[in-house]
């Protein structure tokens, strides 16, 4: 028998054809390296679901080979599934200092901190496993301390860029390690997996530091308090806001749990430099004149329970919006959040605040590479094979086209889906089979117990509500002893629809009588008769289709 | 007693602090003129609602004074509530030819065509009522035959711009009647109500005709079929697509009910010129080579049941997407529709189509005036008083600021809300009281029967589902004869949660026993005991809060 060629297997279990729940398994011989372990926020149709995590059945089946989870950065879509995954699979977690700092607060909430093996690495570190070694390379992104990951194997180097942009003037001075990408490229990279988020955007993403000018201008002109909402994880943005506050002699208060948590971690670990006497407790803001105050807060996506939304709706316990406040929403709406943000903006304006948001000023820059930056990365790394990742199909497709335009043969580019197995040898990249993959819904304490049937019911209930029909019948004769009672929830308001309910009850009585006369005693048949007669009646009268739930009690 | 000063009353019943359901009542003495009668599409939280219409209680109370409904153009947010309003208040409806053509198809569907008095007007027409006269003035918008409305009263002229943009090269050659706006301005306009939709956008909205170049370029390069999705009402867009088809010798097929309806009306009335042998039935598209076909269709907002969505999901009966098709989505996402559209784009790409959409090419222009156009209108009309309309609060606020920047004293500008009464005399504009206003939900055949209680229930059901608990007890003793039975819908999938359900049943049994022992026989108390014990148990076990519906049958 011919010895099988050595190959790298790449198995994305999340992050392809979606934005979120990034998790990719890289296999070589006895080593499985997991890159990232993210969550996804539920789509609109996932009613009642809190978060969505990847199905890791495949990893559990191969658990003895999983050498660790290697994190590129500390965003939810890259680390958010960790507490759930680690409960099933307690493997070492590798990440840079800030990333692990954020992970720690998460694990603490899940009472997992003491049992998980966190391994802190820094850019340029190399972790040697049995058959491969894993190298961390500095990148820039909208969170500090992000890295790309290079996996060195006998077949060649696999490079996963993580989320990145090219920022020549980053706030922390740590420019992406372009020299290392170039060096790897010169020596030869077998396969690259790269961020596709912004592939539709021409040109370059602006440097985070350009926002310094915007903040400067706003701080110069603001006569009242300044309230800035941004992503809690954007340490560099927060650093710039604090710098402006210090320059203009304003105190800084913080509101919003995630903002407080991450700022605390970032300060403790040295990622955020704040003069201690600049920070004040939010309880003390009224002790200072309005033009001496900056409040940094969460809610830049209009999330219902966030600090900014509560301020806008007059539901915040400690902060009321005042006429003359300047509120900066330093973010871009994530698709799906446009209306939520718009509502907050309207409420803030109504309270007399000046609201400064994307449509009106340059108050945000993206964390992802646009076309020209992607071209730079491709040109430096010159991979033999390429797999676009981190995007919906439209992004993957266009990133694949970009690679081909830069000279890669189209056979060397693979657009894959979650669960597909991609094999890379020295000469070839190809798909070879699939493994179990999918989405696991987290709802309250339940992980995976809400499935499609429950969601379908929630959808049905949400549209037209439910009519419950209860009747007690005598076992022997099938004759009705009590009921039928009809109860509506979410269908019509009964007090205003008494006639309809009366008619419905008569129809059910008729159906029951008919069953009795025809000696139909099977519950299933009686129930389906009730359902059918009600369904037709209600649709004719209302053109609605509530869920109909007949319940028969026998005595 | 001093004779009260003559005044115009302006009562917006929809369209302020929202995009949609535009309806404004203008009163002078015995005349009430209603401008527009639109619907709004439901927000996300209005679960199961089909459309939202304005509450017209105030008009019904003053029905003998309502002289008619005067339409500015044929978009849903300006005419969509007509069938519902006319059923309650059968007054004449004035509109231009195309607007009424579209209204007619609507009335036909509601069997109202024969009973409604439709009065066709054209630009420059003046309708004389008892105390005021109503003038129609040509404007440009994303639908043909749109007009502004000037109401001439002894107190002065009220000008309502309707939705407008300034298009110097419109497809039909009918430029907005800037001369008439200027003339009115020179003679003196008492109060202007103007479109605020695009007030956040600097500069000018591009002319509809610039899209001709985009279509030309796409048609030159397309090797397969061309499928264009756009708003059915955008006759000029459709005219340009047909022009390109004719130039490049392609046949045109149409798919989508609203597109077919409106194109038929527009052709019949002369707003759309189509060489008869260019149009083919969609059944015949396969009789032509792919590069000889254009399909015009609906679904540019990703609406679930639209023709394009069905094509993308392989659910369209007559059209399958083929590799090599070029699909143009000629529209901008309306806020809230971003994810729906993105899904369609992904599906189309996966089927091998080239998809051309806003992010990639200039395939859409707005129908609303940007800042420079608004400034032009304000400068021509020079109103004494100004009320920004057609926008959320953020838009109204910024439009008010724009007017003040152009020189209007801020006391002369009023930002109002639906239901507020605004009085205008020769000297003064002020708010004076409110009337009933609000939103009426249409759900199936029900108009107004779904209220906040039903919606609150639907919301609750959608998040955590429902647990129904049924028990039959003996009237006299209160002892349990049958049950308790527990049925879950949308909470957990029972087959996978048998233990939880068993435990819940035991708890309910316990609660019932306790009631029996304590001689608690009031249903309300028994039910609230059951609810409470289940609520606490389920929250502890699952951190979820399903609706709990206890039902007691007595025999």
């Amino acid at each position: 028998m011919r010895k099988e060629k050595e190959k790298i297997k790449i198995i994305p279990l999340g992050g392809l054809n979606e934005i979120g729940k990034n998790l990719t398994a890289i296999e070589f011989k006895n080593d499985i390296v997991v890159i990232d372990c993210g969550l996804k926020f539920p789509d609109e149709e996932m009613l009642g679901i809190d978060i969505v995590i990847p199905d890791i059945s495949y990893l559990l089946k191969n658990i003895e080979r999983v050498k660790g989870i290697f994190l590129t950065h500390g965003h939810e879509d890259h680390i958010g599934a960790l507490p759930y995954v680690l409960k099933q699979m307690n493997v070492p977690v590798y990440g840079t200092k800030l990333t692990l700092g954020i992970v720690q607060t998460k694990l603490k909430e899940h009472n997992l901190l003491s049992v998980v093996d966190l391994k802190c690495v820094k850019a340029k570190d190399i972790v040697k496993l049995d058959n491969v070694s894993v190298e961390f390379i500095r990148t820039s992104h909208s969170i500090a301390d992000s890295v790309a990951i290079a996996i060195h194997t006998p077949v060649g180097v696999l490079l996963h860029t993580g989320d990145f942009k090219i920022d020549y003037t980053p706030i922390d001075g740590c420019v992406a390690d372009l020299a290392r990408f170039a060096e790897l490229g010169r020596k030869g990279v077998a396969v690259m997996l790269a961020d596709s988020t912004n592939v539709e955007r021409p040109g370059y993403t602006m440097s985070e530091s350009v926002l310094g000018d915007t903040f400067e201008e706003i701080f110069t002109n603001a006569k009242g308090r300044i309230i800035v909402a941004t992503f809690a994880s954007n340490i560099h943005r927060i650093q710039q806001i604090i710098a402006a506050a210090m320059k203009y002699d304003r105190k800084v208060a913080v509101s919003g749990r995630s903002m407080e948590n991450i700022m605390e971690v970032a300060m403790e670990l040295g990622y955020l430099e704040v003069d201690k006497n600049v920070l004040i407790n939010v309880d003390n803001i009224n002790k200072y004149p309005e033009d001496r105050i900056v409040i940094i807060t969460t809610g830049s996506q209009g999330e219902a329970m966030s600090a900014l939304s509560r301020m806008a709706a007059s539901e915040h316990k400690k902060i009321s919006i005042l006429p003359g406040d300047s509120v900066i929403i330093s973010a871009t709406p994530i698709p799906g959040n446009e209306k939520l943000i718009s509502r907050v903006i309207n409420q803030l304006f109504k309270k007399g605040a000046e609201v400064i948001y994307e449509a009106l000023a340059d108050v945000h820059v993206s964390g992802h590479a646009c076309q020209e930056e992607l071209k730079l990365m491709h040109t430096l790394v010159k991979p033999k094979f390429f797999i676009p990742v981190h995007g919906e199909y439209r992004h993957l497709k266009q990133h694949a086209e970009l690679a081909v335009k830069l000279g890669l043969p189209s056979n060397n580019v693979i657009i894959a889906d979650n669960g597909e197995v991609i094999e890379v040898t020295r000469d070839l990249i190809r798909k070879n089979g699939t493994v179990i993959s999918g989405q696991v819904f987290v709802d309250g304490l339940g992980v995976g117990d809400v499935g499609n049937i429950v969601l379908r019911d929630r959808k049905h209930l949400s549209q037209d509500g439910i009519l419950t029909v209860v009747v007690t019948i005598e076992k022997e004769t099938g004759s009705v002893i009590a009921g039928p009672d009809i109860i509506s929830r979410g269908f019509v308001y009964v007090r205003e629809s008494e006639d309809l309910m009366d008619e419905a009850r008569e129809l059910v009585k008729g159906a029951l009588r008919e069953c009795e006369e025809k000696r139909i005693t099977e519950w299933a048949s009686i129930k389906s008769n009730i359902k059918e007669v009600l369904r037709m009646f209600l649709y004719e009268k209302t053109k609605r289709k509530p869920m109909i739930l007949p319940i028969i009690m026998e005595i």
Side-chain angles (χ1 to χ4, degrees), chain A:
Chain A
M1 206 179 94
R2 197 173 66 86
K3 192 192 157 199
E4 205 188 351
K5 267 193 184 167
E6 287 189 326
K7 60 195 167 198
I8 309 171
K9 280 191 190 175
I10 301 161
I11 308 176
L13 293 174
L16 297 192
N17 296 307
E18 65 185 343
I19 301 282
K21 72 176 175 59
N22 295 284
L23 193 159
T24 309
I26 311 293
E27 292 189 32
F28 186 80
K29 290 188 172 168
N30 203 36
D31 291 343
I32 296 182
V33 169
V34 176
I35 298 181
D36 288 333
C37 186
L39 62 74
K40 187 165 83 165
F41 294 103
D43 288 342
E44 269 165 50
E45 63 262 38
M46 299 174 189
L47 293 166
I49 298 302
D50 299 327
I51 62 169
V52 183
I53 59 174
D55 184 329
I56 56 157
S57 308
Y58 174 76
L59 297 177
L60 295 177
K61 229 165 44 187
N62 294 279
I63 193 163
E64 74 293 342
R65 292 201 287 142
V66 177
K67 295 293 154 53
I69 299 173
F70 294 73
L71 303 173
T72 59
H73 63 285
H75 277 157
E76 288 289 0
D77 58 333
H78 293 259
I79 66 165
L82 272 177
Y84 306 95
V85 166
L86 290 171
K87 274 175 204 161
Q88 302 172 70
M89 178 178 90
N90 192 354
V91 298
V93 177
Y94 296 81
T96 56
K97 199 163 63 170
L98 179 65
T99 304
L100 291 190
I102 296 170
V103 167
Q104 278 177 327
T105 48
K106 248 178 210 309
L107 296 181
K108 216 178 284 177
E109 285 170 14
H110 285 261
N111 293 317
L112 285 171
L113 194 50
S114 59
V115 300
V116 174
D117 182 12
L118 296 178
K119 292 180 181 292
C120 191
V121 297
K122 53 188 191 308
K124 295 188 192 289
D125 277 1
I126 294 181
V127 175
K128 284 196 194 314
L129 305 175
D130 291 348
N131 300 285
V132 306
S133 52
V134 181
E135 176 185 358
F136 298 87
I137 307 170
R138 168 68 55 221
T139 56
S140 294
H141 187 41
S142 45
I143 185 169
D145 222 5
S146 62
V147 289
I149 289 176
I151 301 179
H152 299 265
T153 81
V155 173
V157 174
L158 175 146
L159 176 72
H160 190 304
T161 65
D163 295 7
F164 80 100
K165 66 190 278 190
I166 308 288
D167 190 340
Y168 299 108
T169 54
I171 302 303
D172 59 2
C174 300
V175 181
D177 192 351
L178 299 179
R180 182 59 182 153
F181 288 117
E183 193 181 5
L184 287 173
R186 215 171 48 237
K187 291 182 182 165
V189 167
V191 55
M192 178 167 80
L193 286 67
D195 180 2
S196 310
T197 315
N198 270 354
V199 69
E200 290 180 351
R201 297 200 202 164
Y204 276 94
T205 304
M206 298 306 289
S207 168
E208 178 67 30
S209 57
V210 302
L211 298 183
D213 296 340
T214 309
F215 289 131
E216 189 103 349
E217 200 190 321
I218 296 170
F219 275 64
T220 311
N221 296 320
K223 295 193 171 44
R225 302 183 305 183
I226 296 172
I227 299 170
V228 194
T230 192
F231 297 106
S233 59
N234 199 329
I235 310 296
H236 292 152
R237 185 80 40 93
I238 294 164
Q239 184 73 73
Q240 295 199 84
I241 297 161
I242 288 171
M246 287 167 72
K247 179 164 176 187
Y248 289 89
D249 195 21
R250 287 175 180 253
K251 300 288 181 191
V252 175
V254 179
S255 176
R257 196 172 59 99
S258 62
M259 186 65 81
E260 290 164 31
N261 285 347
I262 293 196
M263 279 181 68
E264 197 184 309
V265 170
M267 283 190 286
E268 206 178 291
L269 300 179
Y271 289 87
L272 191 59
E273 284 176 36
V274 190
D275 205 336
K276 279 286 168 192
N277 62 28
V278 168
L279 280 186
I280 61 168
N281 192 296
V282 80
D283 292 320
N284 296 330
I285 49 173
N286 296 328
K287 296 182 182 162
Y288 297 85
E290 286 166 21
D291 62 354
R292 299 267 71 87
I293 290 292
V294 175
I295 299 166
I296 302 179
T297 186
T298 53
S300 63
Q301 293 300 313
E303 307 93 321
M305 297 308 296
S306 67
L308 187 65
S309 294
R310 284 183 282 129
M311 292 178 212
S314 303
E315 287 165 4
H316 197 287
K317 280 180 196 154
K318 299 180 175 176
I319 305 170
S320 307
I321 298 294
L322 306 172
D325 284 349
S326 296
V327 181
I328 308 172
I329 299 177
S330 181
T332 294
I334 293 171
N337 293 344
E338 291 81 358
K339 283 182 137 182
L340 290 174
I341 298 174
S342 198
R343 180 175 306 179
V344 170
I345 292 172
N346 288 323
Q347 289 171 327
L348 292 169
F349 268 129
K350 276 190 197 166
K351 291 195 172 348
E354 275 307 303
V355 195
I356 302 146
Y357 48 101
E358 208 203 9
L360 308 182
D362 294 328
V363 287
H364 181 69
V365 297
S366 172
H368 297 274
C370 291
Q371 285 168 9
E372 295 307 309
E373 293 155 274
L374 293 173
K375 288 179 195 168
L376 174 56
M377 184 62 85
H378 279 267
T379 304
L380 289 175
V381 175
K382 288 180 297 189
K384 179 157 191 178
F385 302 116
F386 173 57
I387 305 169
V389 297
H390 206 282
E392 297 175 13
Y393 188 84
R394 59 198 261 192
H395 306 114
L396 306 181
K397 173 88 182 333
Q398 287 169 63
H399 201 175
E401 280 172 7
L402 180 140
V404 170
K405 271 189 199 143
L406 290 172
L408 215 57
S410 58
N411 281 340
N412 291 20
V413 180
I414 291 241
I415 298 178
D417 204 350
N418 296 328
E420 288 188 316
V421 179
I422 303 150
E423 293 180 352
V424 174
T425 64
R426 283 177 205 283
D427 319 307
L428 197 76
I429 187 166
R430 62 161 189 167
K431 294 184 183 178
N432 190 7
T434 58
V435 305
I436 291 174
S437 71
Q439 44 195 14
V440 174
F441 299 134
V442 178
D443 183 4
L445 295 182
V447 179
D449 68 331
V450 170
N452 288 331
I453 294 175
V454 171
L455 284 187
R456 196 195 55 200
D457 283 350
R458 287 184 186 170
K459 175 82 185 166
H460 189 172
L461 292 165
S462 76
Q463 291 303 299
D464 286 322
I466 184 167
L467 266 200
T468 307
V469 184
V470 200
V471 61
T472 305
I473 60 176
E474 201 187 43
K475 212 183 230 160
E476 306 301 317
T477 61
S479 63
V480 174
I481 296 175
D485 286 2
I486 300 187
I487 297 106
S488 155
R489 286 291 183 276
F491 168 54
V492 290
Y493 187 47
V494 176
R495 281 192 210 162
E496 286 170 5
S497 309
E498 282 178 9
D499 292 350
L500 188 77
M501 289 295 110
D502 287 345
E503 252 187 282
R505 202 171 297 114
E506 287 309 313
L507 280 172
V508 174
K509 276 185 192 166
L512 288 166
R513 244 190 330 266
E514 212 183 298
C515 288
E516 201 184 335
E517 283 162 10
K518 289 187 182 163
R519 307 252 173 252
I520 297 172
T521 52
E522 266 175 63
W523 284 18
S525 305
I526 301 175
K527 284 182 183 177
S528 79
N529 279 0
I530 293 174
K531 266 191 187 178
E532 190 54 21
V533 69
L534 274 185
R535 194 186 60 74
M536 280 168 50
F537 167 71
L538 295 173
Y539 188 72
E540 194 203 312
K541 287 285 181 182
T542 67
K543 288 273 181 295
R544 298 180 206 162
K545 297 176 176 173
M547 183 182 284
I548 297 169
L549 180 63
I551 304 173
I552 298 173
M553 312 274 295
E554 250 181 9
I555 60 168

